[in-house]
Amino acid sequence: MNLKQAATWLLAAAATFSGPALAQDIAPLRTAEAATALAAAQWIELEPGLQVKRASAGAGAMITALRIDQDRFRMALAVQDNPDGQSADGFAQDAGAVLAVNGGFFGEKADGKELYSVGLLRIGGKTRSANWKTTGGYLIFAKDELGIEPASPEPPAGTPDLLQSKPLMIEPGGKWAMNTNQVPARPRTAVCTLRDDSTAIVLVISGAGLTLYETGWLMRQKQEGGHFGCDAALALDGGGSTQLWVKDRDELAVEGETAVHNALVVIRR
């Protein structure tokens, strides 16, 4: 997401997070439609430990979900080699990954040039950008499993690789963390961890997209009107940054509108 896109998103987000509260027990209509479509779709194995499910959310939105067994795959953070950014396929090929999606937010020093990270980014133990003390959450790239934690004035210590993004949709323990629905429907990217499981879900919504609130609700438990049953879920950058590459599966690709600063990659163990 470039600076102009980010400014538009931040203005909309400010309205979203300061707007009136919504009913917390009723799934949004488009989320309900998407959950129904996903329930009718089957998980398809791409290779052992990696599955995909696709469904139309209606109104021109397409949902692609990747289910990842972290006993078989390691999830990692990749940062641009080119100062003007890279695409998901470039990150994946550099890392020897089987799939990649866009990562966190970024700015640019010129029009589409010299991208830099926004929100805390730590890789190889080196901090690249400043922490948002009270906004969003952290993706923590541990050796064994990906973790998600809420943002804090003092970010987790002892973690060599960490990415901050927003909003935090579901707090650890399955606690719903959103309360308004005013941001427009856009392409979305999100990641979640499941309760008492080594499985992670990467979700990409392309085409007309969904709102952040609708996307977050989709990550909830089925009995709450969601589908994926996440213990914790975090949105990554979205809009024109949304992109997906899966090895040898061109039909699953989602082309981004812009190069991005960093990416989430999935690598065989």
Side-chain angles (χ1 to χ4, degrees), residues 31 34-43 51-55 57 62-68 169-170 174 190-197 199-205 210 214-233:
T31 298
T36 298
L38 285 164
Q42 300 295 316
W43 288 104
Q51 298 174 308
V52 65
K53 177 185 281 197
R54 302 190 85 195
M62 174 61 69
I63 299 172
T64 304
L66 288 307
R67 188 160 67 180
I68 302 156
M169 296 170 161
I170 300 175
V191 62
C192 95
T193 54
L194 303 185
R195 189 175 304 171
D196 300 325
D197 201 329
T199 302
I201 301 287
V202 171
L203 185 69
V204 177
I205 302 175
L210 295 175
E214 291 164 344
T215 302
W217 200 295
L218 199 56
M219 312 299 262
R220 299 181 73 175
Q221 303 293 323
K222 290 182 179 179
Q223 62 267 29
E224 297 171 329
H227 179 74
F228 293 104
C230 299
D231 178 68

Side-chain angles (χ1 to χ4, degrees), residues 127-219:
T127 297
R128 302 285 192 93
S129 48
N131 181 41
W132 295 320
K133 296 181 179 180
T134 59
T135 301
Y138 307 116
L139 276 184
I140 300 171
F141 295 86
K143 180 179 179 181
D144 296 326
E145 292 184 9
L146 188 75
I148 297 176
E149 292 185 10
S152 61
E154 295 296 330
T159 303
D161 291 355
L162 182 152
L163 173 68
Q164 187 176 32
S165 189
K166 62 182 178 181
L168 183 64
M169 296 170 161
I170 300 175
E171 295 180 6
K175 182 180 178 182
W176 179 235
M178 303 182 72
N179 63 4
T180 56
N181 192 25
Q182 294 178 359
V183 169
R186 295 293 307 280
R188 304 290 175 194
T189 310
V191 62
C192 95
T193 54
L194 303 185
R195 189 175 304 171
D196 300 325
D197 201 329
S198 64
T199 302
I201 301 287
V202 171
L203 185 69
V204 177
I205 302 175
S206 53
L210 295 175
T211 70
L212 286 166
Y213 187 87
E214 291 164 344
T215 302
W217 200 295
L218 199 56
M219 312 299 262

